[in-house]
């Protein structure tokens, strides 16, 4: 049975296939993913449009039949490339208009990355370099500026708007790259506190894309009946060599406009929801 793009595997990407039949890239072993995806695109007779690129004709002129065919091929190739990226990486190509643009960008950012990449910050730094003209300087959010957010302490925090991959049945939660400097780079027990209760989960720090082990995060999802579009705020209350602790706030509705605006900005920069 094929897995969806949003599924979260503990296996390598090559064992994970999206609903269109192509391999999924989770941030590791890009060169292998690239080879398999190229083969996949060739099998669909779409590699030529990716390799040579598609140049749209004058928008004021009606498309002739051949232009329509080329546009359709390019759109399909771009779709297949997009569906070959995990939810965390998908926003990295949000500004690309053609399949070739997306393919070239991915190679520029990720080529050479592997599971054993020595620099854990390499991906976000490379993305910053490529997108330096597209990313504005967003100051760290100061809770004291908004006293009405009474539920937040002075601890650093990050926010996540839940997508399909985060909840049942996949239960795969990855952390945005922008907070990696606050988190340990090894697997550790983690404690989530929420509404006076606690959950023991496994933090996966020894991975290119860090997050919670799906089987342990699933219990928190089930107990709190989390759904797509729920918003979570993770306060980083404690981190040391033995454990990670988070205070989590669930926002199901009536999100404060300024907090909603902040979340939207972070998602647009991608999640970079999530690549930054």
């Amino acid at each position: 049975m094929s897995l969806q793009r949003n599924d979260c595997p503990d296996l390598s990407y090559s064992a994970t296939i999206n609903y269109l039949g192509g391999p999924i890239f989770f941030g590791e072993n890009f060169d292998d993913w690239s080879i398999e995806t190229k083969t996949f695109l060739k099998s669909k007779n779409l590699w030529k449009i990716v390799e040579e690129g598609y140049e749209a004709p004058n928008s004021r002129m009606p498309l002739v039949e051949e232009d329509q065919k080329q546009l359709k091929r390019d759109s399909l190739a771009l779709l297949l490339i997009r569906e070959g990226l995990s939810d965390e990486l998908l926003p990295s190509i949000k500004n690309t208009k053609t399949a070739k643009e997306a393919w070239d960008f991915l190679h520029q950012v990720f080529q050479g990355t592997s599971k054993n990449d020595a620099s854990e910050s390499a991906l976000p730094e490379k993305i910053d370099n490529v997108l330096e003209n597209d990313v504005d300087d967003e100051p760290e959010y100061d809770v004291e500026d908004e006293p009405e957010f009474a539920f937040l302490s002075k601890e650093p925090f990050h926010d996540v708007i839940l997508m399909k991959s985060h909840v049942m049945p996949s239960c795969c939660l990855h952390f945005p790259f922008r907070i990696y400097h606050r988190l340990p780079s090894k697997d550790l027990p983690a404690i989530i506190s929420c509404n006076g209760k606690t959950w023991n989960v496994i933090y996966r720090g020894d991975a290119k894309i860090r997050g919670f082990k799906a089987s342990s995060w699933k219990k928190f999802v089930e107990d709190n009946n989390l759904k797509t579009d729920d918003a979570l705020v993770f306060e980083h209350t404690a981190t040391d060599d033995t454990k990670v602790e988070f205070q989590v706030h669930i926002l199901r509705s009536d999100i404060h406009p300024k907090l909603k605006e902040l979340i939207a900005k972070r998602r647009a920069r991608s999640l970079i929801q999530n690549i930054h």
Side-chain angles (χ1 to χ4, degrees):
M1 179 178 66
S2 296
L3 298 176
Q4 301 297 312
R5 185 189 77 214
N6 293 329
D7 289 344
C8 178
D10 289 328
L11 303 172
S12 66
Y13 84 90
S14 59
T16 310
I17 305 299
N18 62 39
Y19 72 100
L20 294 173
I24 304 176
F25 178 52
F26 286 90
E28 300 174 353
N29 302 319
F30 175 80
D31 293 344
D32 292 340
W33 175 85
S34 175
I35 292 171
E36 289 198 17
T37 301
K38 180 177 178 179
T39 302
F40 179 61
L41 290 167
K42 283 184 174 180
S43 73
K44 304 295 184 182
N45 295 319
L46 295 171
W47 175 246
K48 185 176 181 180
I49 196 72
V50 176
E51 186 175 38
E52 298 181 356
Y54 169 73
E55 185 174 351
N58 190 321
S59 60
R60 296 181 180 179
M61 301 293 292
L63 294 178
V64 300
E65 183 177 357
E66 182 57 30
D67 287 333
Q68 291 177 342
K69 289 181 179 179
Q70 288 293 87
L71 175 60
K72 184 176 181 180
R73 291 190 190 101
D74 184 69
S75 298
L76 180 55
L78 180 59
L79 172 64
L80 295 181
I81 292 171
R82 288 173 59 86
E83 291 300 321
L85 301 178
S86 68
D87 281 335
E88 285 68 27
L89 299 181
L90 179 59
S92 67
I93 60 170
K94 65 183 177 67
N95 292 326
T96 59
K97 305 300 183 184
T98 68
K100 180 174 175 58
E101 284 183 17
W103 186 260
D104 290 348
F105 178 86
L106 291 171
H107 274 261
Q108 187 177 358
V109 174
F110 295 107
Q111 190 166 30
T113 58
S114 67
K115 188 171 184 179
N116 297 316
D117 195 326
S119 174
E120 294 183 348
S121 62
L123 293 185
E125 288 179 358
K126 291 174 78 173
I127 292 171
D128 277 343
N129 291 336
V130 174
L131 298 180
E132 59 184 355
N133 294 324
D134 187 47
V135 178
D136 56 353
D137 292 328
E138 177 186 315
E140 191 72 22
Y141 193 72
D142 189 353
V143 177
E144 292 182 340
D145 292 341
E146 301 296 339
E148 56 265 52
F149 294 151
F151 63 87
L152 289 175
S153 69
K154 294 182 180 181
E155 300 294 340
F157 72 93
H158 76 278
D159 50 72
V160 177
I161 294 182
L162 298 182
M163 296 182 291
K164 183 179 178 181
S165 61
H166 299 139
V167 297
M168 298 294 292
S170 301
C171 296
C172 173
L173 185 72
H174 291 140
F175 294 142
F177 284 123
R178 67 174 182 270
I179 68 165
Y180 277 21
H181 66 284
R182 299 178 186 152
L183 299 172
S185 58
K186 62 180 180 180
D187 294 357
L188 288 173
I191 299 174
I192 297 177
S193 299
C194 182
N195 295 326
K197 299 180 181 179
T198 60
W199 286 260
N200 294 315
V201 297
I202 302 298
Y203 163 73
R204 302 292 301 275
D206 188 19
K208 182 62 65 178
I209 299 180
R210 303 175 190 176
F212 294 134
K213 186 175 182 180
S215 58
S216 61
W217 170 246
K218 180 179 180 180
K219 177 65 174 172
F220 183 80
V221 172
E222 290 179 329
D223 289 352
N224 291 281
N225 194 30
L226 296 182
K227 304 293 184 183
T228 301
D229 292 331
D230 284 347
L232 302 184
V233 177
F234 287 79
E235 291 192 83
H236 307 186
T237 54
T239 300
D240 56 36
D241 291 336
T242 62
K243 67 181 183 305
V244 186
E245 296 184 18
F246 299 95
Q247 179 71 42
V248 175
H249 308 278
I250 303 173
L251 307 176
R252 302 187 191 276
S253 61
D254 299 327
I255 300 177
H256 190 285
K258 291 186 178 180
L259 180 57
K260 190 173 183 179
E261 180 181 356
L262 173 66
I263 293 172
K265 285 181 179 179
R266 288 181 175 176
R267 295 191 79 194
R269 291 182 57 191
S270 211
L271 220 337
I272 293 167
Q273 50 126 19
N274 295 344
I275 290 187
H276 228 50

